[in-house]
Amino acid sequence: MRVFALAGRRLAASLPTLLIILVGVFLLLQLAPGDTVDALMAQMGGGGDAQVAADLRAFYGLDLSVPAQLGNYLWRLVRLDLGFSSIYGKPVATVILERLPATLLLMASALSFAFFFGLVLGVLAARRVNGWPDTLISTLGLVFYATPSFWFGLMAIVLFAVHLEWLPAGGFEEIGAGYTGLRRVLDIATHLVLPTLTLGLIFLAIYLRIMRASMLEVLNLDFVRTARAKGLDETRVVVKHVLRNAMLPMVTLVGLQAGTMLGGSVVVESVFSLPGLGRLAYESVVQRDLNTLLGIVFVSALLVITVNFIVDLLYARLDPRIGAGG
Amino acid sequence: MNLSRRAMLSTSAALASSVAFPELSFAQEQPRRGGVMTVHFATEQRILNPSLQASTGVYIVGGKIQEPLVDLDAAGNPAPCLAESWESSADGKTITFKLRQGVTWHDGKPFTSADVQFTAMEMWKKILNYGTALQLFLEAVDTPDPHTAVFRYARPMPMNLILRAMPDLGYVSARHIYEGSDIRQNPANTAPMGTGPFRFVQYERGQFIIAERNPNYWRNNLPYLDRVVWRVVGDRSAAAAQMEAGQILFSPYSALAIADFQRLGRDPRFDVTTKGNEGNARTNTLEFNFRNPVLADIRVRRAIAHALDVPFFIENFLGDFAKKGTGPIPSVSTDYYPGPDTPQYAFDRRRANALLDEAGHRRGAGGVRFTLRLHPAPWGEDIALWSTFIQQSLQEVGIRVEVVRLDAAGFLRTVYNDWNFDLATGWHQYRNDPAVSTTVWYRSGQPKGAPWTNQWGWTDAQTDQIIDAAQTELDPAKRKALYGDFVRRVNDQIPLWMPIEQIFVSVFNRRLRNYANNPRWASSSWHDLWLAS
Amino acid sequence: MRFLVAYLRSPPAMIGLVLLLVVIGMALSADWFYPRDPLSLAGRPLIWPGANPRFLLGTDNSGRDIAAQIFHGARVSLLIGVVATSIAIALGIVIGALAGYHGGWVDDVLMRVTEAFQTLPNFLLLLVFVAVFGSDIVTVTIAIGAVSWPAPARLTRAEFLTLRNREFVQACRTIGMGDGRIIFREILPNALPPVIVYASVIMAVAILLESALAFLRLSDPNVASWGNLIGLGRDVLRVQWYVSAIPGVAILVTVLAVSLVGQGLNDALNPRLRKR
């Protein structure tokens, strides 16, 4: 129950932020050259006359003044209505719900991948600090950090999908194969291997660097020295005492970078033709589909806020000094 | 008329490629039932109903599910589809279509003249692009019985024009689905329902569309295929990879990379051809803004045309599927093509330099005479390559070109509405008759903001006069002569320049049978398409 | 001096410095090695690296010399990196300083805006900026700077929060020094080092962001940028993969160099920071 109250308070506190974002993006897009009807005319490829264009503008509500459009939008939002998507001819909420799973899955798997391997490699490096494993791991981390993700994705496609034919080149699942149950899970999993690596790489690099640094810091703290002096074996010291404290900065970082990761998925989804939110966002910018774009902005902001909230809860559990969780 | 059309077809077949008519050798084969046709779907559309939007991206899906009144046969002549016969009154103001009996919609309801009436009045006349212009003078559609639809026009409607238009602009939707609803928001727009050989099953955004065999199709025992699956693949190289893996059997409308056309063309598993797209010729444009005084000078426009080595560009960048163009009417249009003896601008850098000097644009610092902004349309790899080539070529004669890259909405608005450009380049799509698609690029008095029309700020009384005369000329020979005059005039004045002509390229997996057997095959219904094992 | 010694002693930092000097060298010598416009037509398109001795790294699908684009592209990437970073740092410092120094409602408002920028995925915001203001190089650089300022703003604010109640600041106030002077003359120099070190991170990200935009064909086509080349190579990836691979390596090396130098600076500065 306390958690819900806390969540409610957090959400209320983020309302001004949300409002700034939505109004900002709305006004910004008013300055863009062309509107969604222009984009539709481009799709038609000709033959659209002035009357049709005017009808369409009225249909999409573009004949109203900007403040009226903004007012309508916010009033609808208050009633939790995200409006109608002009690209897809459906309510924005439906469109986003269709696309959300792919993005969530991709983000979750990339995050787990980066978190897990970042942690393991960070710990390994810290335990052999300045030895060759440390040098190797740290160098790899830096290289990963410097690799443009889309380039890594393209090269991975060339190698693993085109030449070795181990993994599919793109898509979310095998279309029309009609897989169900476990077979389908496996199918989706193989499709997500390359995108996960591509999106997760830079975060892996960051996490392992942070993990290594905080491990080194914690290993030198008094309580660890005491534990060691008591003759506890090294692995137990690391797992029971060090890890927990060293993970704190990493957890903080996850929250801070949720937005970055969502941004990264725009590129990754377009490289691997995944039907996710990132690609939808790109399309809605190009198609000037204001409702859909604002919907995505709204949902991704909520997502970031939620991740941060979860991170705070985790933080409280991990850090014995905060709250009663420890 | 008939003769010239046959001539046109043979020209385009010869043009198509050396592997024309591959299916002749299979003519004896017994069609096989079953199988799944997989199609490359490059750009997702807002709607899939071809009664509401006339564009290739809609036909590629909706054309299998819904059907037009009139279709094209293998020779490109009008052929009965939902209408079995048609006749025109003596004054040309009444056109009567006798409709096919025993046709049912996918939901089992009968197809009647009421559907035709509703679609014509509410969709073709009010919403459909090109349709609104075509049906401008349509007053009413009478339905004396369920299988007769009588179109009444305020002005004479040439039979030939309506029959040529119907295959694209005559798709019928079900009245009982749309009546009483907001047509633009009707869920059937993205889950179309029709009378066609395939019925809609599922549309998963960003992934795929599925349609399955219509067991009650009016052509008995057809179609052969069980399913059609459209795979949404936006990335060109990813689509080529899926083509090679056999996950896609057909990629329409030049949607792969040019390098991949050449590569797949050498692969015996694929047929890379322009066949089946004869009705879809296009030319690459170079558009000038006359509000810029530099470009209003005809010497500068001619100098720019002389500075472009078009054969070199085609040979090195576009490959086999493009040829040098000679103006707005492409050579595949035998009805109206005036031949190559119109004013042309051969590659001649010295002449270009001389013209620019003559116009008073001396080279300044860094050898630059002046700077122009070039807006390329954001569709088509060839447009991007062409704009880079223009930039590179004009640099050689002292014109600095800044390429301004905009997305589709921004491009249309900036060039055709705000006129905020110097040079622009894109496609002019030729639609079989200059009056439909081409003269609007040159005729003055186009409404501001109408894309792909004369927004250059150029008016020429002589051109306007020829265009108007040709539009109302009924004698085909005189009409052709007038369009010859038209091309000579606009090539001489070059308000815009169309130096390259292309036909859309399709890539077929050779397991397909009966493919590309009519001039608008990608858009057609595929009722006789089958898949060899 | 101690700082310099510390930096020079660290091998990764030295490697980074050398790599960065190489990239800077490429940028400076581009006109000397490749005096022609790198975007001009050099030969047939898609000549493989080494196939023609005139084109060491081959040509791309527009028939342009890849080596020339790599050299000239070094300029573009470094320029975008440096300018965008300066914009981000300047914005960040001003906003962070105002928020941290004044506190109260100023802090509240500024931090809400900062939060808004941080909540919105920065690449998404960048897409919107480019769609709205166009994709010439100046706009792209400013846009990258404009989405990168929140982190330095937070850093500066944190420093100011700890510094503003120190004795020397109190002393300045008592002698009636103006806010502007206190902020820029007294506090800022003390708050600056961690922000400057963070600049290397922003610069690395800025270079990566530009290349990602170019990959989506949304960056300036009139400059020879590495990202543009990768985007162009996408169409011929299946066979002529080198068109994308070569500029990718160039980006990797540059970002690596910037990060290594940044880390080296950080390590060298840190002991001093702690003693302070």
Side-chain angles (χ1 to χ4, degrees):
Chain A
M1 238 22 246
R2 244 185 70 209
V3 175
F4 285 114
L6 213 58
R9 268 219 309 281
R10 267 302 270 280
L11 198 63
S14 343
L15 277 181
T17 311
L18 266 177
L19 197 71
I20 293 175
I21 294 173
L22 288 174
V23 174
V25 172
F26 183 94
L27 293 176
L28 200 57
L29 260 154
Q30 299 302 321
L31 301 174
D35 57 23
T36 193
V37 174
D38 289 308
L40 182 59
M41 296 296 242
Q43 266 192 2
M44 284 180 186
D49 62 29
Q51 187 54 47
V52 171
D55 287 352
L56 280 167
R57 293 219 159 80
F59 173 68
Y60 290 127
L62 297 172
D63 50 345
L64 302 175
S65 68
V66 172
Q69 287 182 47
L70 180 59
N72 281 349
Y73 185 82
L74 292 176
W75 173 232
R76 275 204 312 268
L77 199 65
V78 169
R79 290 168 293 157
L80 292 177
D81 174 6
L82 291 177
F84 195 76
S85 154
S86 42
I87 324 179
Y88 288 130
K90 295 196 215 184
V92 169
T94 319
V95 176
I96 289 180
L97 275 181
E98 283 172 355
R99 294 293 190 101
L100 200 55
T103 298
L104 282 183
L105 210 56
L106 177 63
M107 276 178 67
S109 61
L111 194 64
S112 330
F113 159 75
F115 197 91
F116 179 75
F117 285 97
L119 193 131
V120 170
L121 291 176
V123 170
L124 280 179
R127 299 223 25 210
R128 304 267 182 283
V129 67
N130 294 333
W132 69 264
D134 179 29
T135 312
L136 182 72
I137 290 172
S138 301
T139 312
L140 262 184
L142 281 166
V143 171
F144 289 164
Y145 182 75
T147 311
S149 67
F150 56 92
W151 181 76
F152 178 85
L154 287 178
M155 294 299 132
I157 290 178
V158 171
L159 184 62
F160 293 106
V162 175
H163 288 295
L164 297 174
E165 296 182 11
W166 288 354
L167 292 164
F172 185 63
E173 60 183 315
E174 193 50 50
I175 299 156
Y179 295 137
T180 48
L182 195 62
R183 185 75 189 77
R184 179 157 183 235
V185 172
L186 264 175
D187 181 49
I188 293 177
T190 50
H191 279 84
L192 280 183
V193 172
L194 291 183
T196 299
L197 289 179
T198 307
L199 182 60
L201 213 56
I202 192 166
F203 299 97
L204 166 64
I206 295 170
Y207 294 159
L208 92 79
R209 230 153 92 183
I210 297 290
M211 194 63 204
R212 176 178 173 275
S214 54
M215 275 288 290
L216 287 180
E217 207 142 296
V218 178
L219 277 172
N220 287 324
L221 290 181
D222 291 343
F223 77 95
V224 179
R225 292 204 186 131
T226 321
R228 273 187 184 145
K230 280 199 294 195
L232 288 177
D233 83 287
E234 193 68 15
T235 316
R236 265 194 74 185
V237 173
V238 168
V239 173
K240 278 211 79 170
H241 299 274
V242 182
L243 209 52
R244 185 170 175 162
N245 286 286
M247 262 165 77
L248 286 174
M250 227 164 115
V251 170
T252 321
L253 216 57
V254 169
L256 276 176
Q257 289 183 326
T260 315
M261 198 169 228
L262 210 58
S265 66
V266 175
V267 174
V268 174
E269 285 169 15
S270 115
V271 171
F272 292 98
S273 12
L274 289 174
L277 271 193
R279 225 173 93 203
L280 186 68
Y282 174 67
E283 275 164 39
S284 52
V285 172
V286 169
Q287 300 255 350
R288 305 284 188 277
D289 185 349
L290 201 55
N291 280 350
T292 307
L293 183 67
L294 289 174
I296 295 168
V297 164
F298 181 71
V299 168
S300 52
L302 276 186
L303 207 64
V304 170
I305 291 167
T306 314
V307 170
N308 275 300
F309 179 65
I310 295 173
V311 161
D312 284 358
L313 288 182
L314 267 180
Y315 207 97
R317 285 200 66 95
L318 280 172
D319 189 345
R321 285 164 303 181
I322 301 172
Chain B
M1 200 66 208
N2 222 335
L3 192 91
S4 66
R5 197 174 286 124
R6 206 173 297 149
M8 174 191 128
L9 276 169
S10 63
T11 323
S12 29
L15 220 167
S17 76
S18 53
V19 287
F21 302 111
E23 71 273 35
L24 280 185
S25 52
F26 306 117
Q28 315 307 325
E29 263 183 304
Q30 187 64 33
R32 191 179 71 102
R33 294 196 168 275
V36 179
M37 168 72 163
T38 44
V39 187
H40 176 201
F41 194 49
T43 40
E44 275 191 282
Q45 300 292 317
R46 297 191 188 185
I47 58 174
L48 300 174
N49 182 344
S51 331
L52 293 171
Q53 186 178 321
S55 59
T56 50
V58 174
Y59 296 139
I60 188 75
V61 181
K64 327 296 166 248
I65 295 161
Q66 291 177 241
E67 290 180 303
L69 287 179
V70 181
D71 209 343
L72 292 184
D73 67 10
N77 296 316
C81 192
L82 287 181
E84 282 186 308
S85 65
W86 41 82
E87 59 180 20
S88 173
S89 66
D91 64 356
K93 288 186 175 176
T94 309
I95 294 175
T96 307
F97 289 98
K98 284 284 178 197
L99 304 182
R100 192 174 295 281
Q101 308 207 8
V103 175
T104 55
W105 293 102
H106 293 156
D107 63 1
K109 298 228 166 62
F111 158 75
T112 69
S113 53
D115 297 311
V116 177
Q117 181 193 46
F118 180 82
T119 309
M121 296 307 293
E122 300 301 321
M123 296 179 170
W124 301 348
K125 189 175 163 61
K126 288 186 184 162
I127 297 175
L128 180 66
N129 52 323
Y130 292 108
T132 52
L134 180 75
Q135 308 290 3
L136 187 61
F137 298 108
L138 176 66
E139 286 190 319
V141 176
D142 296 335
T143 53
D145 68 68
H147 301 293
T148 308
V150 182
F151 284 59
R152 286 199 284 111
Y153 289 92
R155 294 189 189 177
M157 168 63 88
M159 197 66 203
N160 199 34
L161 176 56
I162 191 104
L163 289 180
R164 268 177 179 273
M166 275 295 111
D168 275 349
L169 305 177
Y171 281 90
V172 185
S173 291
R175 176 179 206 140
H176 62 273
I177 297 290
Y178 280 94
E179 192 167 34
S181 75
D182 180 347
I183 290 177
R184 292 190 196 279
Q185 283 201 53
N186 196 297
N189 294 348
T190 49
M193 213 255 332
T195 57
F198 297 95
R199 54 183 190 199
F200 174 84
V201 177
Q202 192 188 359
Y203 182 3
E204 208 59 56
R205 298 287 171 185
Q207 294 196 71
F208 59 85
I209 304 171
I210 296 178
E212 63 180 10
R213 185 175 190 275
N214 173 9
N216 303 316
Y217 188 49
W218 55 268
R219 284 182 171 110
N220 279 333
N221 297 321
L222 290 175
Y224 296 116
L225 297 166
D226 283 340
R227 284 183 150 209
V228 181
V229 175
W230 292 264
R231 303 171 76 108
V232 179
V233 187
D235 185 72
R236 288 190 275 257
S237 45
Q242 298 200 11
M243 197 84 210
E244 282 177 279
Q247 290 173 313
I248 289 175
L249 299 175
F250 169 45
S251 175
Y253 304 127
S254 301
L256 302 184
I258 294 167
D260 282 325
F261 287 137
Q262 286 161 4
R263 193 164 54 84
L264 297 179
R266 291 190 292 269
D267 189 323
R269 290 175 296 166
F270 305 104
D271 185 4
V272 180
T273 177
T274 54
K275 216 167 100 52
N277 293 326
E278 290 84 354
N280 271 313
R282 66 179 199 267
T283 59
N284 289 71
T285 64
L286 179 54
E287 302 155 26
F288 302 103
N289 190 350
F290 281 68
R291 295 163 195 93
N292 179 339
V294 173
L295 292 171
D297 185 337
I298 192 164
R299 289 169 296 194
V300 174
R301 299 199 300 279
R302 286 178 176 162
I304 289 174
H306 278 302
L308 299 171
D309 189 351
V310 175
F312 175 90
F313 175 71
I314 292 175
E315 188 191 328
N316 287 286
F317 294 92
L318 299 183
D320 305 335
F321 298 107
K323 61 182 260 187
K324 192 177 173 316
T326 54
I329 301 182
S331 62
V332 289
S333 171
T334 36
D335 283 359
Y336 301 110
Y337 182 57
D341 297 330
T342 47
Q344 296 298 322
Y345 302 89
F347 173 57
D348 185 345
R349 209 169 266 160
R350 273 180 53 198
R351 176 130 182 70
N353 276 317
L355 279 167
L356 290 169
D357 287 341
E358 195 189 312
H361 301 293
R362 300 275 160 198
R363 285 180 188 257
V368 177
R369 299 171 193 273
F370 51 86
T371 302
L372 296 172
R373 289 163 304 158
L374 168 64
H375 286 66
W379 39 83
E381 190 191 358
D382 56 327
I383 297 176
L385 291 172
W386 175 231
S387 65
T388 305
F389 186 75
I390 293 171
Q391 185 182 38
Q392 293 167 341
S393 305
L394 295 190
Q395 188 183 36
E396 301 291 328
V397 296
I399 304 174
R400 211 170 78 80
V401 173
E402 273 169 29
V403 176
V404 182
R405 201 185 253 172
L406 293 171
D407 54 23
F411 172 76
L412 285 197
R413 179 64 69 94
T414 308
V415 173
Y416 298 110
N417 191 72
D418 299 344
W419 301 331
N420 185 13
F421 70 105
D422 298 318
L423 304 172
T425 177
W427 291 337
H428 152 247
Q429 307 219 26
Y430 183 73
R431 291 181 191 257
N432 299 316
D433 190 316
V436 175
S437 55
T438 306
T439 53
V440 288
W441 289 74
Y442 297 90
R443 179 74 173 83
S444 65
Q446 303 294 334
K448 183 176 192 244
W452 304 291
T453 65
N454 179 353
Q455 302 288 337
W456 335 120
W458 178 71
T459 33
D460 181 52
Q462 194 181 336
T463 306
D464 288 357
Q465 201 186 338
I466 303 173
I467 290 173
D468 295 346
Q471 199 142 25
T472 48
E473 179 57 61
L474 295 175
D475 179 350
K478 282 187 189 158
R479 195 151 183 249
K480 181 170 182 176
L482 279 171
Y483 280 126
D485 295 343
F486 161 72
V487 174
R488 272 183 288 279
R489 179 65 185 166
V490 300
N491 276 8
D492 181 61
Q493 295 293 311
I494 55 167
L496 68 153
W497 183 223
M498 303 200 187
I500 302 167
E501 62 178 69
Q502 303 188 61
I503 294 181
F504 280 108
V505 181
S506 305
V507 183
F508 298 98
N509 189 304
R510 286 194 192 267
R511 282 176 63 210
L512 296 173
R513 297 290 184 271
N514 282 343
Y515 65 83
N517 58 11
N518 69 57
R520 60 186 287 278
W521 189 80
S523 303
S524 71
S525 77
W526 302 353
H527 59 265
D528 59 347
L529 176 68
W530 59 281
L531 199 57
S533 45
Chain C
M1 216 40 227
R2 258 241 266 1
F3 157 73
L4 203 65
V5 172
Y7 185 92
L8 294 177
R9 269 210 199 123
S10 149
M14 281 312 290
I15 294 173
L17 191 62
V18 170
L19 287 178
L20 193 61
L21 288 176
V22 168
V23 177
I24 293 174
M26 275 165 65
L28 293 178
S29 66
D31 276 335
W32 194 73
F33 281 113
Y34 298 97
R36 288 189 65 194
D37 183 344
L39 297 181
S40 65
L41 186 68
R44 269 193 314 108
L46 299 174
I47 300 173
W48 275 80
N52 180 338
R54 274 212 304 142
F55 308 114
L56 273 181
L57 299 177
T59 58
D60 67 8
N61 21 353
S62 289
R64 307 187 279 213
D65 188 347
I66 292 181
Q69 292 187 70
I70 296 293
F71 271 73
H72 285 269
R75 272 182 194 185
V76 176
S77 287
L78 288 178
L79 201 67
I80 289 176
V82 170
V83 176
T85 306
S86 315
I87 294 173
I89 296 282
L91 263 176
I93 284 177
V94 170
I95 291 171
L98 287 177
Y101 182 79
H102 286 292
W105 67 268
V106 179
D107 186 34
D108 269 350
V109 170
L110 290 176
M111 279 304 106
R112 284 285 171 260
V113 175
T114 313
E115 246 171 54
F117 270 83
Q118 276 190 319
T119 307
L120 195 61
N122 57 357
F123 193 70
L124 192 58
L125 190 58
L126 197 57
L127 283 181
V128 174
F129 272 130
V130 170
V132 171
F133 298 112
S135 55
D136 69 287
I137 195 76
V138 177
T139 316
V140 167
T141 310
I142 294 175
I144 292 175
V147 301
S148 308
W149 62 264
R154 282 186 174 268
L155 269 177
T156 312
R157 174 176 174 266
E159 291 292 315
F160 266 72
L161 282 180
T162 56
L163 290 174
R164 72 168 177 185
N165 293 324
R166 291 279 177 84
E167 289 91 350
F168 73 94
V169 179
Q170 304 284 9
C172 290
R173 282 208 190 97
T174 20
I175 60 167
M177 210 184 264
D179 281 352
R181 229 178 126 192
I182 299 179
I183 290 178
F184 289 105
R185 283 282 186 76
E186 302 300 328
I187 309 185
L188 197 58
N190 288 293
L192 219 45
V195 181
I196 295 301
V197 166
Y198 191 75
S200 72
V201 176
I202 299 181
M203 179 153 166
V205 172
I207 293 174
L208 289 173
L209 280 177
E210 191 274 335
S211 68
L213 268 186
F215 166 75
L216 292 174
R217 300 191 174 90
L218 293 172
S219 187
D220 193 340
N222 301 297
V223 295
S225 97
W226 294 334
N228 278 339
L229 200 51
I230 295 181
L232 200 65
R234 214 172 146 188
D235 284 333
V236 291
L237 191 66
R238 299 265 298 147
V239 180
Q240 289 90 1
W241 47 268
Y242 63 86
V243 178
S244 291
I246 295 170
V249 172
I251 294 176
L252 200 159
V253 168
T254 308
V255 176
L256 185 63
V258 171
S259 317
L260 283 174
V261 169
Q263 209 176 17
L265 285 178
N266 188 40
D267 293 348
L269 278 172
N270 251 341
R272 211 172 56 146
L273 282 178
R274 274 193 199 133
K275 265 183 211 148
R276 193 180 50 154

